[in-house]
Amino acid sequence: MLPMNSDPYLDMRKEYVMKGIALYHPITIDRGRNALLYDVNNKEYIDFTSGIGVTTLGHSNPELIAVAEAQLKKLWHVCFMVMNYKSYIELAEKLAKIAPGSSQKQVLLQNTGSEAVENAIKIARQVTGRYYIVAYENSFHGRGTYGYALASTGKYEPYKKGLEPMMPGVEFVPYPYCYRCPFKYEYPQCGLACLDYLKKWFAFTRVSPDRISAFIMEMIQGEGGFVVAPTDYVKELKKFLEDNGILLIDDEVQSGWARTGKMWAIEHYGVEPDIMVTAKAIANGLPLSAVIGKKNIMEKTFPGSFGGTFGGNPVSCAVALKVIEIMLRDNMPERANTLGQIIRKRLNEMADKYELIGDVRGLGVMQAIELVKDRKTKEPATDEVSKVIVKAREKGLLLLRAGLYLNVIRLHPPLTIEEELLNKGLDILEESLKEVVKEVK
Ligand SMILES: Cc1ncc(COP(=O)(O)O)c(C=O)c1O
């Protein structure tokens, strides 16, 4: 037993773990059960983080534990480049079938979102023979590798700090972030000026479309602060890409697996990606990621130039198969909509009361509030976000921040959370906001 309210693991972390991994909540978690976490002092927290959108089916999900245990006893590892095994093949088939769009698909399994992004870009380049990648400002595609996931991430600090030069051949365009339109227009009166810029100005000044292999895009920017791209933007963009033989890589690492109210965020847009990457919630926390591409693209990849020792671990694959079964059986997209409506209503009510909330946005259960010091100037209220998050933690709610200015609070509860607990968490969020509003007055 630890002495009351002591946490030696935080000191040990300082001593033995490199500084480069930041720690947002200075607590040490001992165990979890569905939407609740308990620290080493047995303090209970409602988890609105889900390990950054990963434990979508809750902590210690008994059905997943049973599958993992059975697979652990049967087979841990053989390496998919050396020999075939069932769970990889079965998962590839399922993923190909549930992926968005009607084209036939093929699959590559890896371990992390960053790796999946690297491989999606490798595929796009190898198959098109074109050099450039276009990515979005305010995007995030991974810091776990030092290649194109990082190079195509559209935020400098902290991800790229001191790490230049980045991999060459990545160009950035503005994301349709309508609340902070870089052209200072209002949507939809803007007539999609940012897309117009991209098609005309960008193509003539930066890189000719016939040299671009792929655009990589999050339909909802995750780390960027749950910024949702407008439907007409995505539809028109896809047409422009098709007209120019450019592939669309849809990064669903954060937005996939029912969180937006559909299995994949891109299904809100009626557009089929050429290549999609997914990770995070795929195996509810066991390391696994996937690149799912149109068969006519994936078939053209060169044997031996893809793979890795661990990609598609048998235990992760078995759990992912169960995740898919549960998601379909329990209609998790519908559940995300039900929970999302509860959250959105509460956040809108909070926005009516507190000027500090400049924008409420999101899809499904992925809802966020952007805090500003002044609704007219939209000056980011970054410190206020930190204060709200600290207060919420003290009251037993774990939250995540996001956004270019870190002035966004994004909600990532598991889809299995009880509605009573969700409302309790939202009460804590509101109490914390109210206290911060009082303090800054
Ligand atoms: C949209 C997106 N892409 C890629 C990644 C990288 O995934 P990982 O941290 O598993 O490497 C993330 C991680 O947050 C992400 O949100």
Side-chain angles (χ1 to χ4, degrees):
M1 278 282 281
L2 289 172
M4 271 281 278
N5 295 327
S6 72
D7 186 344
Y9 301 101
L10 292 175
D11 293 333
M12 287 167 74
R13 178 169 173 141
K14 261 193 206 136
E15 185 67 23
Y16 298 112
V17 179
M18 73 178 286
K19 210 172 152 187
I21 315 174
L23 176 64
Y24 194 60
H25 287 295
I27 53 176
T28 303
I29 295 300
D30 179 49
R31 64 192 193 283
R33 173 70 50 195
N34 198 18
L36 291 171
L37 285 171
Y38 299 85
D39 73 11
V40 286
N41 290 297
N42 216 21
K43 182 173 158 78
E44 183 182 274
Y45 300 92
I46 301 170
D47 184 14
F48 276 13
T49 75
S50 299
I52 321 190
V54 171
T55 51
T56 295
L57 299 181
H59 297 287
S60 310
N61 183 307
E63 286 185 279
L64 301 182
I65 292 173
V67 167
E69 206 175 6
Q71 184 62 48
L72 269 168
K73 286 179 180 157
K74 228 163 100 182
L75 182 75
W76 284 24
H77 178 75
V78 283
C79 186
F80 195 68
M81 296 181 301
V82 180
M83 54 195 94
N84 218 10
Y85 50 90
K86 230 169 84 181
S87 55
Y88 192 120
I89 298 298
E90 286 174 351
L91 180 59
E93 182 198 18
K94 274 272 151 47
L95 289 172
K97 287 190 172 153
I98 65 166
S102 55
S103 312
Q104 273 190 289
K105 310 286 191 315
Q106 285 190 340
V107 173
L108 162 74
L109 299 179
Q110 294 284 308
N111 304 288
T112 66
S114 304
E115 274 185 287
V117 169
E118 299 296 349
N119 282 281
I121 291 177
K122 276 171 69 178
I123 294 164
R125 275 184 150 181
Q126 196 174 67
V127 169
T128 63
R130 297 179 180 187
Y131 176 71
Y132 286 98
I133 298 294
V134 178
Y136 282 91
E137 288 166 359
N138 199 39
S139 64
F140 184 79
H141 298 293
R143 75 190 113 182
T145 52
Y146 199 178
Y148 282 92
L150 187 62
S152 63
T153 287
K155 186 178 180 189
Y156 182 76
E157 275 209 41
Y159 313 120
K160 299 181 173 185
K161 197 172 175 177
L163 294 171
E164 298 96 335
M166 290 291 116
M167 293 298 276
V170 181
E171 295 286 343
F172 287 92
V173 290
Y175 193 83
Y177 185 175
C178 301
Y179 180 67
R180 291 187 184 277
C181 172
F183 301 95
K184 302 243 184 293
Y185 288 128
E186 289 278 327
Y187 176 82
Q189 293 85 336
C190 62
L192 298 178
C194 53
L195 193 60
D196 213 37
Y197 163 86
L198 192 162
K199 287 192 218 169
K200 296 184 187 139
W201 184 252
F202 177 77
F204 288 103
T205 62
R206 302 294 305 187
V207 43
S208 163
D210 65 1
R211 296 291 297 128
I212 302 171
S213 57
F215 268 53
I216 181 162
M217 182 177 182
E218 299 161 90
M219 300 302 130
I220 300 188
Q221 291 190 322
E223 300 305 300
F226 288 8
V227 186
V228 185
T231 311
D232 47 354
Y233 179 96
V234 175
K235 278 191 191 303
E236 273 197 46
L237 171 74
K238 184 69 171 92
K239 188 172 176 309
F240 168 74
L241 300 184
E242 276 171 13
D243 289 347
N244 290 284
I246 302 168
L247 304 180
L248 174 63
I249 300 173
D250 171 25
D251 184 341
E252 297 258 359
V253 168
Q254 193 154 161
S255 60
W257 298 104
R259 300 200 77 84
T260 66
K262 292 194 186 282
M263 189 62 98
W264 311 109
I266 201 162
E267 287 171 332
H268 289 278
Y269 297 88
V271 154
E272 180 172 353
D274 299 293
I275 300 172
M276 184 179 92
V277 291
T278 174
K280 287 197 186 282
I282 184 171
N284 210 54
L286 290 188
L288 186 67
S289 63
V291 185
I292 309 165
K294 287 182 177 166
K295 191 175 175 190
N296 63 354
I297 295 169
M298 303 294 266
E299 268 178 344
K300 293 189 187 123
T301 50
F302 192 74
S305 56
F306 291 85
T309 305
F310 289 125
N313 170 271
V315 182
S316 298
C317 288
V319 170
L321 279 163
K322 195 71 185 176
V323 165
I324 296 173
E325 187 191 314
I326 296 173
M327 290 236 164
L328 299 176
R329 182 194 70 197
D330 298 347
N331 199 350
M332 283 300 167
E334 177 78 24
R335 177 87 185 138
N337 281 322
T338 306
L339 298 178
Q341 277 163 17
I342 296 171
I343 297 171
R344 187 57 170 257
K345 185 167 174 284
R346 292 289 307 272
L347 295 181
N348 283 338
E349 285 164 7
M350 291 180 213
D352 288 341
K353 287 189 227 164
Y354 311 111
E355 290 266 313
L356 186 60
I357 299 178
D359 195 25
V360 180
R361 57 177 179 251
L363 279 177
V365 85
M366 281 180 86
Q367 298 288 333
I369 45 178
E370 176 157 357
L371 302 195
V372 290
K373 290 184 193 292
D374 178 321
R375 282 189 176 175
K376 264 211 181 95
T377 63
K378 299 183 181 174
E379 185 188 340
T382 305
D383 291 346
E384 287 79 353
V385 161
S386 297
K387 283 182 188 155
V388 171
I389 289 178
V390 169
K391 281 187 191 294
R393 181 173 66 235
E394 285 164 3
K395 295 176 201 295
L397 171 70
L398 296 174
L399 292 165
L400 287 170
R401 64 182 177 174
L404 192 59
Y405 309 106
L406 298 179
N407 66 323
V408 176
I409 297 174
R410 60 178 153 157
L411 308 190
H412 255 324
L415 296 178
T416 47
I417 191 170
E418 301 81 2
E419 287 176 25
E420 199 186 332
L421 202 58
L422 178 75
N423 274 307
K424 194 171 160 201
L426 291 164
D427 289 344
I428 296 177
L429 172 62
E430 176 156 11
E431 272 168 47
S432 310
L433 264 168
K434 196 169 159 186
E435 285 177 20
V436 170
V437 167
K438 249 195 207 151
E439 280 172 20
V440 292
K441 260 192 182 157

